[in-house]
Amino acid sequence: MPVITLHRDRFCRLLGREMSIEELEEWLPWIALDIEDVGPDYIKVEYNPNRVDFSSPVGIARALKGLLGLEVGLPKYEAPLGPVEVIVQPGVERVRPYVVGAVVRGLELGEQELQELIEMQEDLHWGIGRDRRKAAIGLHDLSAVKTPIYYAAFRPDEKSFVPLDAEEEMTLGEVLEKHEKGRVYGHLVSFSDVYPVVMDAEGRVMSFPPVINSELTRVSTETKDLFIDITGPDLRAIRAALRVLTTALADMGGRVEAVRVRYPDGTVLTTPDLRPREAVLRVKDANKLIGLQLSEQEVVECLRRCRLDAEPIGPGLLKVLVPPYRTDIMHEVDLVEEVAIGYGYFRLEPRRPPSPRSGQPHPAVELADRVRLIMVGMGFTEVMNFILTNERVHYELMRLPPGRPVKLANPVSAEYSMLRELLLPGLMANLAVNVRERYPQKLFEVGDVVLRAEEVETRTRRELHLAAVIAHSRAGYAEVKGCLDALMKALGVRDWSVRAAEHPSFLPGRVAEILVAGRSVGVVGEVHPEVLVNFGLENPVAALELGLRPLMRTGNKGM
């Protein structure tokens, strides 16, 4: 998680109150910050990624003021419309379709403030921007450019500029090849035949998002007026990043001006929108979740200490005003958390849960642990594979017809595109990467598989399975069946049997289904030679897979 350094003198000026390092170390955890390191004149804190407003000392001071009662209630921000416009030209939709902007005037940036601003920019790149994929921030000295500002797309050799920390002009394509940032972030735009550019009215490049800014608009301690552009494929994300950044700059003494953004289709956005959002909180639910009996007025006071505003709108109902920088508040439960923080976690008295019993393992967990112990006792080695897999390994290599798995809507990699329905394909893949290791190899896995519910298309069910493989030059049905016999005996399962069956992954005549109380729960046999070839295996493999939950319902001794 991100770490930020708070220098005591600077932080106390932002806070408007003198506090010692020891006092800061005591109070900062109560606004959900973890202490990472403490020095004679500084303190390093780690914040949760959802609290992106903590990416600067300004944001942390703003929150701590409320808890200490120095300033409570909703901070007020204004962003009157200024003269600067951003004109979006056709073509950018092919690579990075959205842009928003803002102007902040009257800044006084010393070395410390400038460093804080740059660190905040990088933290927002990570926290909201997902390493610039969803949002990339450009900070520019407004005095160096002519307005209006244009957001356009050009071919790699059509535009040249001097990137930050470079001395010579480069084309867009050369930036991706030669500049350090181009090599790191070039993959975010290199898929397209055109690249996005932010430029001024004279056609001078201000930035090549999401890669690098231009030396033309480098921000320094001499900068008084700042122009901010944020680009990305997710309009909601870039608007959220702009709200966090501009409110922090407003608290640093800047005057925020809104910018009109004109899109080719006629859409016009005015950004940033610094109006508070409205939400509703039920006082009864807040008290129930926290375990308190607070009145409406007490809940309002707690929310105000967290820099929110609230007022009653009906019996037990509060309308809550959420400041624009609080991107993390999305649900009523988030408001309940704010009530608890405003009340003070240090004031909450721990109580034992009203239960007559202590916690104990679930029967399925106990069964899984017993199965693991038995399998290890028979000489097997346990593996733990990801629950995510792909159709090729799960079906094609196993000679299985395509199924109806639960698929990921936006998989990061083709290797992980679905939830597994069987454990055995994963074990075969384990054998494939161990072909050069010593034989015999005996592996097993106890884990969950995910299946679609038959009765409702959109529901799924999770099942606990055991799978095991034995690989060596003479592995066969008799050996794996013997292991199955030993497992059932050790578990005390008596009402079980096997009967001949056919299965695409197994050798005909050398495979059987496993029955418990007359119900089919799995399969045991010798793996089909074609499956072995598909996985690049040279030795025979005997395997079994069965569901474990039916074993808990048989009523057999020991279960």
Side-chain angles (χ1 to χ4, degrees):
M1 291 192 292
V3 175
I4 183 170
T5 301
L6 304 176
H7 298 279
R8 192 190 75 85
D9 291 343
R10 160 73 172 159
F11 189 72
C12 288
R13 287 199 303 271
L14 292 172
L15 200 59
R17 167 182 168 177
E18 283 296 316
M19 295 186 73
S20 66
I21 290 292
E22 291 75 18
E23 288 176 311
L24 291 174
E25 191 177 3
E26 176 186 354
W27 278 97
L28 289 172
W30 299 123
I31 55 173
L33 294 169
D34 292 328
I35 308 298
E36 285 292 301
D37 186 27
V38 178
D41 60 352
Y42 71 86
I43 185 167
K44 290 186 177 181
V45 293
E46 182 182 62
Y47 64 90
N48 289 323
N50 66 314
R51 285 302 301 266
V52 290
D53 56 304
F54 284 173
S55 55
S56 71
V58 172
I60 295 175
R62 183 171 50 203
L64 189 56
K65 281 181 183 179
L67 192 63
L68 294 173
L70 303 177
E71 287 183 15
V72 297
L74 188 78
K76 302 296 193 299
Y77 298 101
E78 294 182 354
L81 183 62
V84 178
E85 288 191 349
V86 177
I87 300 172
V88 183
Q89 296 187 336
V92 292
E93 70 279 356
R94 291 152 56 185
V95 56
R96 204 166 178 85
Y98 299 112
V99 63
V100 294
V103 170
V104 184
R105 299 187 186 272
L107 287 169
E108 296 291 338
L109 296 177
E111 291 291 346
Q112 195 171 33
E113 290 82 2
L114 183 58
Q115 184 62 32
E116 290 173 1
L117 180 58
I118 294 171
E119 290 176 355
M120 183 182 186
Q121 177 188 20
E122 290 308 311
D123 280 358
L124 290 175
H125 276 156
W126 183 83
I128 294 180
R130 298 297 184 265
D131 202 17
R132 306 193 187 186
R133 182 177 63 85
K134 292 178 66 176
I137 302 167
L139 303 176
H140 310 277
D141 187 334
L142 184 62
S143 66
V145 299
K146 301 291 185 181
T147 59
I149 291 166
Y150 292 87
Y151 182 50
F154 295 93
R155 296 193 179 277
D157 58 352
E158 286 184 323
K159 274 286 181 182
S160 299
F161 70 105
V162 180
L164 277 177
D165 301 322
E167 297 179 353
E168 60 180 15
E169 279 197 354
M170 301 181 191
T171 66
L172 303 177
E174 288 173 337
V175 169
L176 300 192
E177 295 174 4
K178 298 179 180 180
H179 199 282
E180 176 188 356
K181 295 296 185 182
R183 291 191 292 269
V184 174
Y185 297 108
H187 67 280
L188 297 175
V189 295
S190 59
F191 65 88
S192 175
D193 61 340
V194 293
Y195 299 159
V197 167
V198 177
M199 59 186 184
D200 75 348
E202 296 181 356
R204 295 176 296 174
V205 174
M206 298 168 60
S207 92
F208 172 17
V211 181
I212 190 72
N213 278 6
S214 168
E215 275 286 344
L216 172 69
T217 57
R218 176 185 283 275
V219 177
S220 70
T221 54
E222 302 299 318
T223 300
K224 302 298 181 184
D225 298 338
L226 199 66
F227 174 74
I228 304 168
D229 72 75
I230 306 183
T231 64
D234 186 331
L235 183 58
R236 185 185 62 83
I238 64 177
R239 297 189 76 164
L242 187 64
R243 290 195 298 269
V244 174
L245 187 56
T246 51
T247 51
L249 288 168
D251 286 333
M252 290 171 65
R255 302 187 309 276
V256 181
E257 283 184 5
V259 166
R260 187 177 281 117
V261 184
R262 299 184 183 276
Y263 283 87
D265 62 358
T267 300
V268 178
L269 298 180
T270 300
T271 62
D273 182 357
L274 300 185
R275 293 174 298 177
R277 293 179 290 121
E278 293 185 1
V280 175
L281 174 65
R282 286 176 278 268
V283 175
K284 179 180 178 182
D285 290 349
N287 281 323
K288 180 179 179 182
L289 287 173
I290 304 173
L292 298 173
Q293 294 296 324
L294 300 176
S295 66
E296 284 186 8
Q297 186 56 40
E298 288 173 324
V299 172
V300 169
E301 292 173 1
C302 291
L303 290 170
R304 286 177 55 79
R305 281 195 289 270
C306 287
R307 308 311 305 271
L308 286 72
D309 267 347
E311 61 180 17
I313 56 173
L317 288 179
L318 297 177
K319 180 178 75 173
V320 182
L321 296 180
V322 181
Y325 56 82
R326 290 301 302 271
T327 62
D328 59 306
I329 295 181
M330 298 178 286
H331 189 276
E332 186 179 11
V333 171
D334 297 320
L335 297 175
V336 174
E337 182 184 17
E338 297 302 303
V339 174
I341 293 173
Y343 180 80
Y345 282 122
F346 51 88
R347 296 175 58 193
L348 297 175
E349 296 182 5
R351 296 197 302 264
R352 282 185 176 274
S355 171
R357 302 179 62 183
S358 299
Q360 62 186 36
H362 190 278
V365 175
E366 291 185 325
L367 174 60
D369 289 342
R370 291 182 61 190
V371 170
R372 291 188 178 100
L373 188 62
I374 295 165
M375 297 301 292
V376 170
M378 289 191 290
F380 285 80
T381 298
E382 184 178 12
V383 300
M384 290 182 287
N385 290 312
F386 293 123
I387 198 169
L388 295 175
T389 182
N390 62 79
E391 288 87 342
R392 179 174 177 271
V393 170
H394 208 70
Y395 300 119
E396 182 181 338
L397 299 189
M398 294 296 296
R399 299 184 72 244
L400 294 172
R404 296 174 56 252
V406 177
K407 295 184 179 181
L408 274 65
N410 297 294
V412 174
S413 166
E415 294 296 311
Y416 305 109
S417 59
M418 58 168 277
L419 300 183
R420 65 186 180 185
E421 297 180 318
L422 298 167
L423 301 182
L424 189 53
L427 292 181
M428 296 299 295
N430 296 141
L431 292 176
V433 299
N434 289 322
V435 290
R436 299 189 182 278
E437 302 298 326
R438 180 179 299 178
Y439 286 88
Q441 295 179 18
K442 301 172 70 175
L443 307 176
F444 82 96
E445 181 174 9
V446 176
D448 289 329
V449 301
V450 179
L451 306 173
R452 284 184 184 269
E454 296 177 359
E455 61 277 7
V456 181
E457 171 70 18
T458 56
R459 291 188 180 177
T460 62
R461 69 178 189 278
R462 188 176 66 178
E463 292 188 357
L464 182 65
H465 277 210
L466 160 70
V469 291
I470 302 171
H472 58 84
S473 59
R474 293 190 297 274
Y477 176 83
E479 184 177 6
V480 73
K481 172 61 165 54
C483 293
L484 179 62
D485 289 338
L487 173 68
M488 293 301 196
K489 183 175 181 180
L491 290 175
V493 180
R494 291 176 290 186
D495 188 12
W496 77 278
S497 60
V498 297
R499 69 182 177 197
E502 293 184 359
H503 193 287
S505 301
F506 291 84
L507 192 62
R510 307 293 294 173
V511 58
E513 63 178 331
I514 305 168
L515 304 175
V516 173
R519 175 186 173 188
S520 178
V521 298
V523 63
V524 58
E526 297 178 17
V527 176
H528 197 286
E530 185 178 331
V531 175
L532 301 180
V533 172
N534 290 343
F535 282 95
L537 303 175
E538 299 177 356
N539 283 301
V541 176
L544 65 86
E545 177 157 353
L546 72 154
L548 294 179
R549 282 192 177 273
L551 304 185
M552 294 190 298
R553 296 194 291 268
T554 60
N556 291 292
K557 181 181 178 181
M559 298 304 295

